[in-house]
Amino acid sequence: MAQIAGFKGLLFDPTHVEMDKVLAPPYDVIDPEGRQELADLDDKNCVRIILPEGEGDERYEHARDLLKTWTEEGTLVHDEKPALYRYHQVYTRPELGPDPVTRRGFIGAVRLHNFDERVLLRHERTLKGPKVDRLKLWGTTRTHLSQIFTLYS
């Protein structure tokens, strides 16, 4: 069985930003036009960090610098205590009809296991390019900026 735990999240301080203008969907569903639309909503939209602009590896340094600036100025703050974070994602799927769909879950830390232990199982094949990109972003910012979706019963 997977072991989960709370962690001290890095969150937007709602006294510094309008939350509906700084949040974005997962990075891997944002196309270039959508990225620009999100960035235009607010100069603190998280898309500027999760999909940073720049040439080559400098984009990761740009994300690190933005993260540092936003943290120093109080736009982003760490929770005082470890927590599990309730997560509701509301979206529409035209093929399912006009009503919104809500995906419910939580965000938490999970103990990693070797794949052969069969505790955490892959639910999709991932491509090398996006894995390298996310690893470089994490390595430069030293921050997990996107959760990894998992399914549980």
Side-chain angles (χ1 to χ4, degrees):
M1 176 177 282
Q3 296 173 347
I4 62 169
F7 67 101
K8 294 180 182 182
L10 183 61
L11 310 169
F12 279 106
D13 180 340
T15 66
H16 283 77
V17 296
E18 292 179 57
M19 295 299 286
D20 60 336
K21 293 185 177 182
V22 296
L23 301 178
Y27 80 94
D28 59 348
V29 299
I30 303 172
D31 62 21
E33 295 79 25
R35 189 215 175 274
Q36 190 59 53
E37 289 174 15
L38 291 163
D40 289 345
L41 286 175
D42 193 291
D43 65 348
K44 302 289 173 56
N45 189 287
C46 69
V47 77
R48 295 173 185 273
I49 293 177
I50 64 171
L51 286 174
E53 291 185 306
E55 294 298 319
D57 288 354
E58 80 176 22
R59 67 181 180 264
Y60 306 114
E61 294 167 9
H62 181 66
R64 179 197 58 218
D65 295 345
L66 276 178
L67 191 64
K68 182 178 184 223
T69 298
W70 294 358
T71 302
E72 288 174 349
E73 70 190 18
T75 298
L76 293 171
V77 294
H78 280 97
D79 258 355
E80 293 180 20
K81 298 178 187 176
L84 294 174
Y85 299 88
R86 182 174 53 185
Y87 183 81
H88 287 189
Q89 183 181 31
V90 181
Y91 57 98
T92 56
R93 300 262 317 258
E95 67 272 18
L96 298 178
D99 296 329
V101 176
T102 302
R103 177 177 14 207
R104 293 176 178 86
F106 63 90
I107 302 170
V110 64
R111 179 176 171 251
L112 296 179
H113 292 268
N114 289 322
F115 183 70
D116 61 3
E117 294 178 75
R118 307 209 32 92
V119 175
L120 299 173
L121 305 174
R122 289 188 286 254
H123 68 280
E124 65 181 339
R125 294 208 183 268
T126 55
L127 302 173
K128 182 179 180 181
K131 287 191 278 193
V132 169
D133 171 64
R134 295 295 96 182
L135 186 58
K136 285 183 178 183
L137 184 61
W138 174 82
T140 305
T141 63
R142 305 304 289 176
T143 304
H144 289 282
L145 297 167
S146 301
Q147 65 268 29
I148 297 171
F149 284 101
T150 59
L151 303 173
Y152 60 93
S153 58

